[in-house]
Amino acid sequence: MASQLLADEATDNIVRTSRTALGDSLRSVTYFTRDDYEQLYLRDDLERDADLTSFIGHEWRGFKTAQAAYEGTELGDYNYTIRVFDNGFLLRVTDEREGVFVTTDSLTMGDFNTVAQAVQSVLRDDL
C-alpha cells in the first residue's frame, strides 16, 4: 500500500514488522503525527468504519498526558501503551513527533513487547 506520509520502504517495514510479530492476530496498523495520520494496513475481514481522527487525537493527547504525569518517577521511561477492549487490543508506540498504533486480537504480554520493540526500531531507523 502506498503511503503519503511515509516513504514506501518505511510503510512496508512497519507493516511487515507488525505482521511478522503478530501474524493473523494483527487487525490494523496506523501511522500518525501531530497533524495527520494514515492507516497502513487493515485486515480484510474488518470494516473501514473506525473514527481514526478521534483515535489519533486521543492517542496523541494521551501520550503527552501520560508522559508528563510519569516523567521522573521510579517507574522509569515510557515505553508503550496497551489498551484492552472486548474485541481486541490497541498498542500505541509513540515518540515526540510520530507514532504507530496497532490493533490486534488476543495476545500475550510477550507478543506486545515483541511488536512494540520492533516498531520502535523501525521508527528510529527508517524515519
Side-chain angles (χ1 to χ4, degrees):
M1 172 184 289
S3 171
Q4 295 177 13
L5 293 177
L6 295 172
D8 290 343
E9 183 177 348
T11 296
D12 292 343
N13 283 343
I14 291 171
V15 172
R16 184 175 48 255
T17 296
S18 300
R19 289 276 300 147
T20 299
L22 300 173
D24 292 337
S25 293
L26 181 64
R27 295 170 68 97
S28 68
V29 179
T30 302
Y31 172 82
F32 61 96
T33 65
R34 294 174 192 213
D35 304 318
D36 209 352
Y37 69 89
E38 184 165 5
Q39 189 165 56
L40 306 178
Y41 171 82
L42 181 67
R43 197 168 67 194
D44 291 338
D45 64 324
L46 300 172
E47 298 290 328
R48 290 193 175 272
D49 61 352
D51 181 5
L52 294 178
T53 302
S54 292
F55 282 11
I56 298 303
H58 179 74
E59 292 305 321
W60 192 260
R61 282 187 307 278
F63 168 71
K64 290 304 200 184
T65 302
Q67 184 182 38
Y70 298 110
E71 194 170 275
T73 70
E74 293 177 1
L75 292 172
D77 293 336
Y78 170 84
N79 291 302
Y80 57 87
T81 300
I82 301 169
R83 298 192 188 285
V84 180
F85 300 92
D86 287 340
N87 297 320
F89 300 86
L90 183 143
L91 170 71
R92 179 188 71 215
V93 179
T94 315
D95 65 20
E96 288 293 325
R97 58 187 179 90
E98 63 194 349
V100 172
F101 72 75
V102 174
T103 61
T104 73
D105 293 329
S106 183
L107 294 175
T108 66
M109 284 303 295
D111 294 329
F112 285 118
N113 196 48
T114 297
V115 74
Q117 289 176 348
V119 169
Q120 286 169 334
S121 177
V122 171
L123 288 175
R124 270 192 316 269
D125 296 343
D126 286 342
L127 306 177

